[in-house]
Amino acid sequence: MSDTTDTKLESRLEEQETFEPPKSFVEQANVTDPAIRTEFEENWPECWERAAEFLSWDWEYDSVVDAADAPQYEWFTGGRLNASYNCLDRHVEDGAKNRAAIKWEGELGETRTYTYGELLNEVEAFAAALREMGVETGDAVTLYLPMVPELPVAMLACARLGAPHSVVFAGFSADALATRMRSSDSEYLVTCDGYYRRGEALNHGQKAKNGLRNVDHDVESIVVNRLGDESDSSFGDDAHDYGALVAEHEGASVPPVSRDAEDVLFLLYTSGTTGQPKGVEHATGGYLSYAAWTAHAVLDLEPTDTHWCTADIGWITGHSYVVYGPLALGATTFMYEGTPDYPDRDRFWKLIEKNRVDVFYTAPTAIRAFMKWGEEYPATHDLSSLRLLGSVGEPIDPHAWKWYYKHIGDEECPIVDTWWQTETGGTMVTTVPGIDTMKPGSAGPALPGIDARVVDADGDPVAPGNAGYLVIRKPWPGMLRTLYRNDERFRSEYWSEYSEPDEDEWIYFPEDGAKIDDDGYITVLGRVDDVINVSGHRLGTMEIESAIVDVAGVAEAAVVGADHDVKGEAVCAYVVLKNGEEPTVAMRDRIVESVEDGIGPIARPEKVVFTSELPKTRSDKIMRRLLENIANGEELGDTSTLRNPDAVETIARQVGDD
Ligand code: WTA
């Protein structure tokens, strides 16, 4: 293509505000009838049977939703099922034993494929080992593993036994692991010796071992040997070897334990306003139905597809769309261990070409990095196997959307910009790709059956185009059931803002700002609580602050998100030192190190600003909004409510001088 044609094309795209789903896509799409929205609305809640139909039930449910304990709604009550049976056995019984369930590539280029038959065998062998070790129905098993196939194996083995898993992102620190194990009373840990990042072997085993030092109860550990000869034996004889266990139990038959639809499938910790991470609890029937239904309707997955969701399984996106959704539908899920720029910046495109990936689901932060690296990287690869593209984790701006559409999708793949959260279990606000017009920058309408609104502080609908708060008015099957051992916090975090308990009206508040257009399309603006979104990772500012004030000599800290062109937001920390302490480079290093130790390198402050005081209201609340303005070099808003208005000027000057 000549330069002029290319420029013309670019400017046409830049001006275009809406995009119709390509005909070739619509012709084969799973969901194509626009009447589905009215159908779901008119038949609510029975419409959700449509999601439950994606699963095989051991026992039929009596009712779709039970609101007796609202907002702790129960879904598909009376029904029984097993998630691992639904993701494995039934596909094998249906003749798919030789179809690939997981295709995996390590960062160094080694590959592994597990057919459905092989995956079932390994899951049964590992489940037998766990059972022998004493794991019983209801026991929380912590999985602290990177992107290796043993992670989904362990998840499904837990599900088979009815033992809730609690996956801890491998990038989290030893302390973060310990906090989560203590909080979930987890007595079992599956981890590994290490894994590769940019060609280097990371000593994950040592980190896990350090974490266990801060867990007072006894823990049985199982270690996957990922590094072969390079393996470090941090655990020595204190742990079981995964490979040996699986070999020992090869051929074992472990019948799937029939679970009540409401039994917990897993816990997943996420960040909220306070310093303590929240243990989000998902139930077997509702969660799995919703993951399968949305993978079908939104990701358009078919059993013949190879699906690549680039999220780490340590986050909800990986749970729902690397593991449970694709496997429940009998598709092939692709996993990659490493980074997109190792050994070169075309690694993802190489993987798509080589594995003939049909559906690709990634995060805006990755797309922004790809844009920066340049279109020549995807251009040298055959990406024609792609049929649908997805985006998740943070808002995607129209420019990045269009780049993705053109340079990855060749203008032939619809893009689904999916808004959802750890708590929602699956996607909630997005276009249905076979039906809806796409508007770059706007996630789209709520999915059929989801009642999403944008309201003001009083709960009244805002006028189209104005900013307000996103709320969800009716329950849905994928919703969290509660926060682990904390029904109180569950109610206060999500249901206290807009609900009218006296009228038995329950409204879920996800803590996101949004605006809505005339046509019902929702643009999500970002968190309105003290949570920041760094490269699509959800981090609590209070957790970071508490790691900073742990450093000797620090008096006070406030953390905000500063705009960042690739990460979306970057961590910016304002730190007040105790009298007599000097703001030295060594002090800055100790602060950064403490955050890495307390949470992990993802939470590393990009900027540390030492200041003599923090702007506070008369009631002594830190005005983070002003600190955010300063970090972003924006106009300072109203400072008249401050107890110490001068502080703002001083900090702004300091940041300017930096
Ligand atoms: C943000 C990730 C805009 C949002 C699935 C939400 C988004 C938080 C989008 C949840 C999107 C996720 N557009 N913002 N398409 N998707 N978010 O729990 O602020 O890790 O509340 O779940 O990510 O993050 P979580």
Side-chain angles (χ1 to χ4, degrees), residues 270-271 315-317 321 361 364 391-396 416-424 426 429 441 443 510-513 523-529 531 533 536-539:
T270 188
S271 296
W315 308 97
I316 190 69
T317 309
Y321 301 117
Y361 191 28
S391 171
V392 58
E394 46 172 328
I396 177 166
V416 285
D417 171 4
T418 60
W419 175 87
W420 60 293
Q421 312 181 294
T422 306
E423 292 87 342
T424 69
V429 175
E511 314 231 34
D512 269 311
T523 299
V524 179
L525 302 168
R527 303 286 303 196
V528 293
D529 57 357
V531 165
N533 194 327
H537 300 322
R538 178 169 161 184
L539 302 171

mmCIF file of all heavy atoms in Angstrom, residues 270-271 315-317 321 361 364 391-396 416-424 426 429 441 443 510-513 523-529 531 533 536-539, ligand 1:
data_model
loop_
_atom_site.group_PDB
_atom_site.id
_atom_site.type_symbol
_atom_site.label_atom_id
_atom_site.label_comp_id
_atom_site.label_asym_id
_atom_site.label_seq_id
_atom_site.Cartn_x
_atom_site.Cartn_y
_atom_site.Cartn_z
ATOM 1 N N THR A 270 -9.338 -9.248 45.954
ATOM 2 C CA THR A 270 -9.191 -8.052 45.129
ATOM 3 C C THR A 270 -9.109 -6.834 46.026
ATOM 4 O O THR A 270 -9.369 -6.927 47.224
ATOM 5 C CB THR A 270 -10.343 -7.939 44.105
ATOM 6 O OG1 THR A 270 -10.050 -6.876 43.204
ATOM 7 C CG2 THR A 270 -11.677 -7.660 44.785
ATOM 8 N N SER A 271 -8.729 -5.705 45.433
ATOM 9 C CA SER A 271 -8.519 -4.507 46.234
ATOM 10 C C SER A 271 -9.761 -3.647 46.327
ATOM 11 O O SER A 271 -10.534 -3.550 45.384
ATOM 12 C CB SER A 271 -7.407 -3.672 45.613
ATOM 13 O OG SER A 271 -6.222 -4.394 45.664
ATOM 14 N N TRP A 315 -5.881 -13.164 37.937
ATOM 15 C CA TRP A 315 -6.944 -12.154 37.991
ATOM 16 C C TRP A 315 -8.237 -12.790 37.507
ATOM 17 O O TRP A 315 -8.225 -13.844 36.880
ATOM 18 C CB TRP A 315 -6.594 -10.948 37.101
ATOM 19 C CG TRP A 315 -5.241 -10.387 37.382
ATOM 20 C CD1 TRP A 315 -4.095 -10.660 36.691
ATOM 21 C CD2 TRP A 315 -4.864 -9.477 38.432
ATOM 22 N NE1 TRP A 315 -3.039 -9.973 37.243
ATOM 23 C CE2 TRP A 315 -3.479 -9.241 38.304
ATOM 24 C CE3 TRP A 315 -5.569 -8.832 39.459
ATOM 25 C CZ2 TRP A 315 -2.777 -8.392 39.169
ATOM 26 C CZ3 TRP A 315 -4.877 -7.991 40.314
ATOM 27 C CH2 TRP A 315 -3.502 -7.777 40.170
ATOM 28 N N ILE A 316 -9.357 -12.111 37.743
ATOM 29 C CA ILE A 316 -10.655 -12.701 37.381
ATOM 30 C C ILE A 316 -10.749 -12.974 35.881
ATOM 31 O O ILE A 316 -11.342 -13.968 35.463
ATOM 32 C CB ILE A 316 -11.837 -11.804 37.843
ATOM 33 C CG1 ILE A 316 -13.179 -12.528 37.693
ATOM 34 C CG2 ILE A 316 -11.884 -10.504 37.058
ATOM 35 C CD1 ILE A 316 -13.402 -13.677 38.613
ATOM 36 N N THR A 317 -10.155 -12.106 35.047
ATOM 37 C CA THR A 317 -10.279 -12.308 33.606
ATOM 38 C C THR A 317 -9.718 -13.671 33.209
ATOM 39 O O THR A 317 -10.284 -14.382 32.380
ATOM 40 C CB THR A 317 -9.557 -11.178 32.836
ATOM 41 O OG1 THR A 317 -10.020 -9.932 33.351
ATOM 42 C CG2 THR A 317 -9.844 -11.242 31.365
ATOM 43 N N TYR A 321 -12.089 -16.347 31.537
ATOM 44 C CA TYR A 321 -11.933 -16.461 30.083
ATOM 45 C C TYR A 321 -10.629 -17.101 29.615
ATOM 46 O O TYR A 321 -10.408 -17.185 28.411
ATOM 47 C CB TYR A 321 -12.185 -15.093 29.441
ATOM 48 C CG TYR A 321 -13.580 -14.587 29.780
ATOM 49 C CD1 TYR A 321 -13.769 -13.426 30.526
ATOM 50 C CD2 TYR A 321 -14.715 -15.312 29.398
ATOM 51 C CE1 TYR A 321 -15.044 -12.984 30.878
ATOM 52 C CE2 TYR A 321 -15.988 -14.881 29.751
ATOM 53 C CZ TYR A 321 -16.152 -13.718 30.490
ATOM 54 O OH TYR A 321 -17.411 -13.299 30.838
ATOM 55 N N TYR A 361 -8.202 -11.750 23.189
ATOM 56 C CA TYR A 361 -8.812 -10.897 24.213
ATOM 57 C C TYR A 361 -7.680 -10.332 25.064
ATOM 58 O O TYR A 361 -6.946 -11.089 25.702
ATOM 59 C CB TYR A 361 -9.732 -11.796 25.038
ATOM 60 C CG TYR A 361 -10.693 -11.152 26.012
ATOM 61 C CD1 TYR A 361 -11.207 -9.874 25.819
ATOM 62 C CD2 TYR A 361 -11.143 -11.877 27.116
ATOM 63 C CE1 TYR A 361 -12.122 -9.343 26.725
ATOM 64 C CE2 TYR A 361 -12.060 -11.350 28.018
ATOM 65 C CZ TYR A 361 -12.538 -10.081 27.819
ATOM 66 O OH TYR A 361 -13.440 -9.559 28.712
ATOM 67 N N PRO A 364 -6.229 -2.814 27.174
ATOM 68 C CA PRO A 364 -5.804 -1.577 26.511
ATOM 69 C C PRO A 364 -4.334 -1.228 26.770
ATOM 70 O O PRO A 364 -3.667 -0.700 25.876
ATOM 71 C CB PRO A 364 -6.723 -0.514 27.121
ATOM 72 C CG PRO A 364 -7.954 -1.262 27.484
ATOM 73 C CD PRO A 364 -7.485 -2.620 27.928
ATOM 74 N N SER A 391 -11.343 -6.427 24.480
ATOM 75 C CA SER A 391 -10.565 -5.535 25.325
ATOM 76 C C SER A 391 -11.195 -5.547 26.710
ATOM 77 O O SER A 391 -12.415 -5.578 26.848
ATOM 78 C CB SER A 391 -10.605 -4.133 24.713
ATOM 79 O OG SER A 391 -10.041 -3.195 25.601
ATOM 80 N N VAL A 392 -10.366 -5.514 27.731
ATOM 81 C CA VAL A 392 -10.874 -5.567 29.100
ATOM 82 C C VAL A 392 -9.903 -4.954 30.091
ATOM 83 O O VAL A 392 -8.697 -4.966 29.868
ATOM 84 C CB VAL A 392 -11.141 -7.029 29.544
ATOM 85 C CG1 VAL A 392 -9.897 -7.888 29.450
ATOM 86 C CG2 VAL A 392 -11.691 -7.107 30.971
ATOM 87 N N GLY A 393 -10.434 -4.408 31.172
ATOM 88 C CA GLY A 393 -9.593 -4.016 32.305
ATOM 89 C C GLY A 393 -9.565 -2.532 32.581
ATOM 90 O O GLY A 393 -9.333 -2.113 33.690
ATOM 91 N N GLU A 394 -9.764 -1.726 31.552
ATOM 92 C CA GLU A 394 -9.741 -0.272 31.714
ATOM 93 C C GLU A 394 -10.366 0.311 30.454
ATOM 94 O O GLU A 394 -10.548 -0.392 29.458
ATOM 95 C CB GLU A 394 -8.297 0.224 31.900
ATOM 96 C CG GLU A 394 -7.378 -0.392 30.894
ATOM 97 C CD GLU A 394 -5.972 0.169 30.879
ATOM 98 O OE1 GLU A 394 -5.793 1.364 31.162
ATOM 99 O OE2 GLU A 394 -5.078 -0.586 30.540
ATOM 100 N N PRO A 395 -10.667 1.603 30.488
ATOM 101 C CA PRO A 395 -11.249 2.195 29.284
ATOM 102 C C PRO A 395 -10.252 2.139 28.125
ATOM 103 O O PRO A 395 -9.051 2.261 28.334
ATOM 104 C CB PRO A 395 -11.492 3.654 29.699
ATOM 105 C CG PRO A 395 -11.493 3.663 31.190
ATOM 106 C CD PRO A 395 -10.579 2.550 31.611
ATOM 107 N N ILE A 396 -10.761 1.914 26.921
ATOM 108 C CA ILE A 396 -9.886 1.965 25.744
ATOM 109 C C ILE A 396 -10.257 3.229 24.966
ATOM 110 O O ILE A 396 -11.427 3.458 24.663
ATOM 111 C CB ILE A 396 -9.991 0.682 24.885
ATOM 112 C CG1 ILE A 396 -9.114 0.794 23.628
ATOM 113 C CG2 ILE A 396 -11.425 0.304 24.512
ATOM 114 C CD1 ILE A 396 -8.885 -0.529 22.903
ATOM 115 N N VAL A 416 -15.011 -6.264 21.010
ATOM 116 C CA VAL A 416 -15.875 -6.120 22.182
ATOM 117 C C VAL A 416 -15.065 -5.471 23.298
ATOM 118 O O VAL A 416 -14.018 -5.975 23.682
ATOM 119 C CB VAL A 416 -16.497 -7.459 22.648
ATOM 120 C CG1 VAL A 416 -17.620 -7.887 21.717
ATOM 121 C CG2 VAL A 416 -15.457 -8.584 22.764
ATOM 122 N N ASP A 417 -15.537 -4.307 23.743
ATOM 123 C CA ASP A 417 -14.909 -3.593 24.856
ATOM 124 C C ASP A 417 -15.751 -3.958 26.074
ATOM 125 O O ASP A 417 -16.855 -3.452 26.246
ATOM 126 C CB ASP A 417 -14.940 -2.088 24.555
ATOM 127 C CG ASP A 417 -14.501 -1.236 25.743
ATOM 128 O OD1 ASP A 417 -14.105 -1.798 26.781
ATOM 129 O OD2 ASP A 417 -14.569 0.000 25.622
ATOM 130 N N THR A 418 -15.233 -4.868 26.883
ATOM 131 C CA THR A 418 -16.053 -5.489 27.924
ATOM 132 C C THR A 418 -15.793 -4.880 29.294
ATOM 133 O O THR A 418 -14.698 -4.992 29.824
ATOM 134 C CB THR A 418 -15.753 -7.000 27.996
ATOM 135 O OG1 THR A 418 -14.359 -7.171 28.296
ATOM 136 C CG2 THR A 418 -16.056 -7.687 26.676
ATOM 137 N N TRP A 419 -16.810 -4.268 29.864
ATOM 138 C CA TRP A 419 -16.685 -3.757 31.228
ATOM 139 C C TRP A 419 -17.195 -4.801 32.206
ATOM 140 O O TRP A 419 -18.298 -5.328 32.034
ATOM 141 C CB TRP A 419 -17.486 -2.460 31.427
ATOM 142 C CG TRP A 419 -17.432 -2.049 32.880
ATOM 143 C CD1 TRP A 419 -16.467 -1.295 33.471
ATOM 144 C CD2 TRP A 419 -18.329 -2.459 33.929
ATOM 145 N NE1 TRP A 419 -16.708 -1.203 34.832
ATOM 146 C CE2 TRP A 419 -17.834 -1.905 35.137
ATOM 147 C CE3 TRP A 419 -19.485 -3.245 33.971
ATOM 148 C CZ2 TRP A 419 -18.475 -2.097 36.369
ATOM 149 C CZ3 TRP A 419 -20.122 -3.445 35.196
ATOM 150 C CH2 TRP A 419 -19.618 -2.858 36.384
ATOM 151 N N TRP A 420 -16.417 -5.069 33.202
ATOM 152 C CA TRP A 420 -16.853 -5.953 34.300
ATOM 153 C C TRP A 420 -15.825 -5.912 35.410
ATOM 154 O O TRP A 420 -14.905 -5.094 35.356
ATOM 155 C CB TRP A 420 -17.133 -7.366 33.792
ATOM 156 C CG TRP A 420 -15.987 -8.103 33.137
ATOM 157 C CD1 TRP A 420 -15.386 -7.780 31.943
ATOM 158 C CD2 TRP A 420 -15.332 -9.276 33.601
ATOM 159 N NE1 TRP A 420 -14.407 -8.689 31.660
ATOM 160 C CE2 TRP A 420 -14.350 -9.626 32.654
ATOM 161 C CE3 TRP A 420 -15.495 -10.099 34.730
ATOM 162 C CZ2 TRP A 420 -13.522 -10.741 32.807
ATOM 163 C CZ3 TRP A 420 -14.677 -11.215 34.875
ATOM 164 C CH2 TRP A 420 -13.705 -11.521 33.908
ATOM 165 N N GLN A 421 -15.996 -6.754 36.416
ATOM 166 C CA GLN A 421 -15.136 -6.721 37.605
ATOM 167 C C GLN A 421 -14.994 -8.112 38.213
ATOM 168 O O GLN A 421 -15.803 -8.999 37.919
ATOM 169 C CB GLN A 421 -15.789 -5.885 38.708
ATOM 170 C CG GLN A 421 -16.323 -4.561 38.331
ATOM 171 C CD GLN A 421 -16.916 -3.860 39.536
ATOM 172 O OE1 GLN A 421 -17.920 -4.310 40.084
ATOM 173 N NE2 GLN A 421 -16.292 -2.776 39.970
ATOM 174 N N THR A 422 -14.035 -8.237 39.107
ATOM 175 C CA THR A 422 -13.863 -9.476 39.864
ATOM 176 C C THR A 422 -15.220 -9.895 40.454
ATOM 177 O O THR A 422 -15.592 -11.064 40.430
ATOM 178 C CB THR A 422 -12.869 -9.240 41.031
ATOM 179 O OG1 THR A 422 -11.670 -8.700 40.482
ATOM 180 C CG2 THR A 422 -12.565 -10.527 41.774
ATOM 181 N N GLU A 423 -15.945 -8.917 40.955
ATOM 182 C CA GLU A 423 -17.193 -9.189 41.658
ATOM 183 C C GLU A 423 -18.313 -9.642 40.730
ATOM 184 O O GLU A 423 -19.249 -10.309 41.162
ATOM 185 C CB GLU A 423 -17.667 -7.923 42.388
ATOM 186 C CG GLU A 423 -16.791 -7.499 43.553
ATOM 187 C CD GLU A 423 -15.621 -6.599 43.142
ATOM 188 O OE1 GLU A 423 -15.284 -6.564 41.937
ATOM 189 O OE2 GLU A 423 -15.047 -5.939 44.027
ATOM 190 N N THR A 424 -18.272 -9.232 39.453
ATOM 191 C CA THR A 424 -19.398 -9.548 38.562
ATOM 192 C C THR A 424 -19.245 -10.920 37.916
ATOM 193 O O THR A 424 -20.187 -11.413 37.316
ATOM 194 C CB THR A 424 -19.586 -8.483 37.459
ATOM 195 O OG1 THR A 424 -18.479 -8.552 36.549
ATOM 196 C CG2 THR A 424 -19.705 -7.081 38.037
ATOM 197 N N GLY A 426 -18.331 -12.130 35.240
ATOM 198 C CA GLY A 426 -18.213 -12.144 33.788
ATOM 199 C C GLY A 426 -18.585 -10.781 33.239
ATOM 200 O O GLY A 426 -18.963 -9.878 34.002
ATOM 201 N N VAL A 429 -21.173 -5.042 30.597
ATOM 202 C CA VAL A 429 -21.505 -3.958 29.668
ATOM 203 C C VAL A 429 -20.573 -4.104 28.479
ATOM 204 O O VAL A 429 -19.352 -4.014 28.612
ATOM 205 C CB VAL A 429 -21.304 -2.575 30.328
ATOM 206 C CG1 VAL A 429 -21.536 -1.458 29.308
ATOM 207 C CG2 VAL A 429 -22.219 -2.400 31.528
ATOM 208 N N GLY A 441 -14.471 3.733 22.210
ATOM 209 C CA GLY A 441 -14.405 4.549 23.420
ATOM 210 C C GLY A 441 -15.547 4.261 24.370
ATOM 211 O O GLY A 441 -15.440 4.479 25.565
ATOM 212 N N ALA A 443 -18.010 1.358 25.965
ATOM 213 C CA ALA A 443 -18.063 -0.102 26.089
ATOM 214 C C ALA A 443 -19.270 -0.657 25.350
ATOM 215 O O ALA A 443 -19.197 -1.673 24.675
ATOM 216 C CB ALA A 443 -18.083 -0.501 27.555
ATOM 217 N N PRO A 510 -20.761 -0.584 41.675
ATOM 218 C CA PRO A 510 -19.420 -1.110 41.369
ATOM 219 C C PRO A 510 -18.288 -0.126 41.640
ATOM 220 O O PRO A 510 -17.133 -0.455 41.453
ATOM 221 C CB PRO A 510 -19.499 -1.417 39.877
ATOM 222 C CG PRO A 510 -20.718 -0.756 39.342
ATOM 223 C CD PRO A 510 -21.514 -0.200 40.479
ATOM 224 N N GLU A 511 -18.617 1.096 42.042
ATOM 225 C CA GLU A 511 -17.611 2.138 42.306
ATOM 226 C C GLU A 511 -16.877 2.596 41.051
ATOM 227 O O GLU A 511 -15.681 2.845 41.079
ATOM 228 C CB GLU A 511 -16.607 1.695 43.381
ATOM 229 C CG GLU A 511 -17.311 1.082 44.568
ATOM 230 C CD GLU A 511 -16.908 1.665 45.906
ATOM 231 O OE1 GLU A 511 -16.630 2.867 45.964
ATOM 232 O OE2 GLU A 511 -16.912 0.897 46.884
ATOM 233 N N ASP A 512 -17.622 2.675 39.943
ATOM 234 C CA ASP A 512 -17.069 3.243 38.721
ATOM 235 C C ASP A 512 -17.904 4.453 38.309
ATOM 236 O O ASP A 512 -19.126 4.449 38.474
ATOM 237 C CB ASP A 512 -17.130 2.221 37.570
ATOM 238 C CG ASP A 512 -15.865 1.382 37.486
ATOM 239 O OD1 ASP A 512 -14.768 1.970 37.499
ATOM 240 O OD2 ASP A 512 -15.978 0.146 37.411
ATOM 241 N N GLY A 513 -17.228 5.468 37.776
ATOM 242 C CA GLY A 513 -17.918 6.593 37.181
ATOM 243 C C GLY A 513 -18.224 6.249 35.728
ATOM 244 O O GLY A 513 -17.534 5.433 35.117
ATOM 245 N N THR A 523 -20.180 4.721 28.626
ATOM 246 C CA THR A 523 -18.738 4.945 28.609
ATOM 247 C C THR A 523 -18.279 4.927 30.054
ATOM 248 O O THR A 523 -18.751 5.735 30.861
ATOM 249 C CB THR A 523 -18.420 6.312 27.975
ATOM 250 O OG1 THR A 523 -18.916 6.290 26.627
ATOM 251 C CG2 THR A 523 -16.917 6.581 27.946
ATOM 252 N N VAL A 524 -17.398 4.001 30.383
ATOM 253 C CA VAL A 524 -16.939 3.895 31.765
ATOM 254 C C VAL A 524 -15.753 4.833 31.941
ATOM 255 O O VAL A 524 -14.826 4.843 31.139
ATOM 256 C CB VAL A 524 -16.558 2.441 32.099
ATOM 257 C CG1 VAL A 524 -16.066 2.328 33.526
ATOM 258 C CG2 VAL A 524 -17.754 1.523 31.873
ATOM 259 N N LEU A 525 -15.808 5.645 33.006
ATOM 260 C CA LEU A 525 -14.782 6.673 33.172
ATOM 261 C C LEU A 525 -13.677 6.279 34.148
ATOM 262 O O LEU A 525 -12.625 6.892 34.177
ATOM 263 C CB LEU A 525 -15.435 7.976 33.643
ATOM 264 C CG LEU A 525 -16.527 8.516 32.699
ATOM 265 C CD1 LEU A 525 -17.313 9.628 33.372
ATOM 266 C CD2 LEU A 525 -15.914 9.009 31.390
ATOM 267 N N GLY A 526 -13.934 5.266 34.963
ATOM 268 C CA GLY A 526 -12.886 4.842 35.910
ATOM 269 C C GLY A 526 -13.394 4.846 37.337
ATOM 270 O O GLY A 526 -14.523 5.268 37.617
ATOM 271 N N ARG A 527 -12.559 4.376 38.235
ATOM 272 C CA ARG A 527 -12.954 4.174 39.620
ATOM 273 C C ARG A 527 -13.219 5.500 40.325
ATOM 274 O O ARG A 527 -12.550 6.495 40.083
ATOM 275 C CB ARG A 527 -11.847 3.450 40.382
ATOM 276 C CG ARG A 527 -11.446 2.124 39.802
ATOM 277 C CD ARG A 527 -12.414 1.025 40.028
ATOM 278 N NE ARG A 527 -12.716 0.782 41.424
ATOM 279 C CZ ARG A 527 -13.303 -0.338 41.844
ATOM 280 N NH1 ARG A 527 -13.642 -1.298 40.991
ATOM 281 N NH2 ARG A 527 -13.569 -0.499 43.110
ATOM 282 N N VAL A 528 -14.200 5.456 41.216
ATOM 283 C CA VAL A 528 -14.467 6.641 42.025
ATOM 284 C C VAL A 528 -14.089 6.390 43.483
ATOM 285 O O VAL A 528 -14.320 7.211 44.348
ATOM 286 C CB VAL A 528 -15.948 7.083 41.929
ATOM 287 C CG1 VAL A 528 -16.260 7.564 40.532
ATOM 288 C CG2 VAL A 528 -16.891 5.954 42.326
ATOM 289 N N ASP A 529 -13.504 5.212 43.753
ATOM 290 C CA ASP A 529 -13.038 4.957 45.123
ATOM 291 C C ASP A 529 -11.508 5.048 45.140
ATOM 292 O O ASP A 529 -10.906 5.537 44.194
ATOM 293 C CB ASP A 529 -13.513 3.577 45.612
ATOM 294 C CG ASP A 529 -13.051 2.457 44.685
ATOM 295 O OD1 ASP A 529 -12.425 2.748 43.645
ATOM 296 O OD2 ASP A 529 -13.320 1.284 45.000
ATOM 297 N N VAL A 531 -9.157 3.181 44.455
ATOM 298 C CA VAL A 531 -8.537 2.078 43.735
ATOM 299 C C VAL A 531 -7.936 2.669 42.476
ATOM 300 O O VAL A 531 -8.540 3.530 41.842
ATOM 301 C CB VAL A 531 -9.597 1.002 43.382
ATOM 302 C CG1 VAL A 531 -9.071 0.032 42.338
ATOM 303 C CG2 VAL A 531 -10.015 0.241 44.640
ATOM 304 N N ASN A 533 -5.819 1.853 38.671
ATOM 305 C CA ASN A 533 -5.757 0.813 37.669
ATOM 306 C C ASN A 533 -4.430 0.956 36.909
ATOM 307 O O ASN A 533 -4.302 1.789 36.028
ATOM 308 C CB ASN A 533 -6.966 1.013 36.741
ATOM 309 C CG ASN A 533 -7.199 -0.186 35.866
ATOM 310 O OD1 ASN A 533 -6.263 -0.871 35.473
ATOM 311 N ND2 ASN A 533 -8.457 -0.429 35.540
ATOM 312 N N GLY A 536 -4.072 -2.184 33.842
ATOM 313 C CA GLY A 536 -5.205 -3.105 33.959
ATOM 314 C C GLY A 536 -5.216 -3.872 35.275
ATOM 315 O O GLY A 536 -6.093 -4.688 35.503
ATOM 316 N N HIS A 537 -4.249 -3.632 36.155
ATOM 317 C CA HIS A 537 -4.238 -4.307 37.454
ATOM 318 C C HIS A 537 -4.871 -3.406 38.494
ATOM 319 O O HIS A 537 -4.533 -2.234 38.611
ATOM 320 C CB HIS A 537 -2.816 -4.638 37.906
ATOM 321 C CG HIS A 537 -2.085 -5.548 36.959
ATOM 322 N ND1 HIS A 537 -2.714 -6.577 36.312
ATOM 323 C CD2 HIS A 537 -0.804 -5.578 36.560
ATOM 324 C CE1 HIS A 537 -1.839 -7.213 35.553
ATOM 325 N NE2 HIS A 537 -0.669 -6.618 35.672
ATOM 326 N N ARG A 538 -5.742 -4.001 39.260
ATOM 327 C CA ARG A 538 -6.499 -3.229 40.239
ATOM 328 C C ARG A 538 -5.742 -3.182 41.562
ATOM 329 O O ARG A 538 -5.497 -4.208 42.167
ATOM 330 C CB ARG A 538 -7.848 -3.940 40.379
ATOM 331 C CG ARG A 538 -8.765 -3.357 41.368
ATOM 332 C CD ARG A 538 -10.123 -4.009 41.159
ATOM 333 N NE ARG A 538 -10.934 -3.850 42.325
ATOM 334 C CZ ARG A 538 -12.139 -4.385 42.466
ATOM 335 N NH1 ARG A 538 -12.651 -5.134 41.500
ATOM 336 N NH2 ARG A 538 -12.829 -4.181 43.553
ATOM 337 N N LEU A 539 -5.367 -1.984 41.985
ATOM 338 C CA LEU A 539 -4.567 -1.835 43.203
ATOM 339 C C LEU A 539 -5.224 -0.843 44.149
ATOM 340 O O LEU A 539 -5.737 0.188 43.726
ATOM 341 C CB LEU A 539 -3.164 -1.323 42.849
ATOM 342 C CG LEU A 539 -2.338 -2.184 41.884
ATOM 343 C CD1 LEU A 539 -1.078 -1.447 41.459
ATOM 344 C CD2 LEU A 539 -1.979 -3.518 42.525
HETATM 345 C C1 WTA B 1 -12.100 -1.368 35.257
HETATM 346 C C2 WTA B 1 -11.304 -6.818 35.620
HETATM 347 C C3 WTA B 1 -13.439 0.613 31.504
HETATM 348 C C4 WTA B 1 -13.235 -0.770 36.080
HETATM 349 C C5 WTA B 1 -12.296 -7.518 34.677
HETATM 350 C C6 WTA B 1 -13.609 -1.914 37.001
HETATM 351 C C7 WTA B 1 -12.941 -1.173 32.882
HETATM 352 C C8 WTA B 1 -12.275 -2.546 37.286
HETATM 353 C C9 WTA B 1 -13.241 -2.088 31.837
HETATM 354 C C10 WTA B 1 -12.386 -3.993 37.667
HETATM 355 C C11 WTA B 1 -13.635 -1.542 30.572
HETATM 356 C C12 WTA B 1 -12.673 -3.196 33.618
HETATM 357 N N1 WTA B 1 -13.726 -0.191 30.460
HETATM 358 N N2 WTA B 1 -13.048 0.160 32.716
HETATM 359 N N3 WTA B 1 -13.885 -2.305 29.512
HETATM 360 N N4 WTA B 1 -13.061 -3.328 32.339
HETATM 361 N N5 WTA B 1 -12.580 -1.903 33.963
HETATM 362 O O1 WTA B 1 -11.840 -6.462 39.316
HETATM 363 O O2 WTA B 1 -12.760 0.332 36.809
HETATM 364 O O3 WTA B 1 -9.607 -6.502 38.120
HETATM 365 O O4 WTA B 1 -14.243 -1.493 38.184
HETATM 366 O O5 WTA B 1 -11.776 -6.876 36.917
HETATM 367 O O6 WTA B 1 -11.547 -2.405 36.051
HETATM 368 O O7 WTA B 1 -11.133 -4.595 37.796
HETATM 369 P P1 WTA B 1 -11.046 -6.142 38.115
#
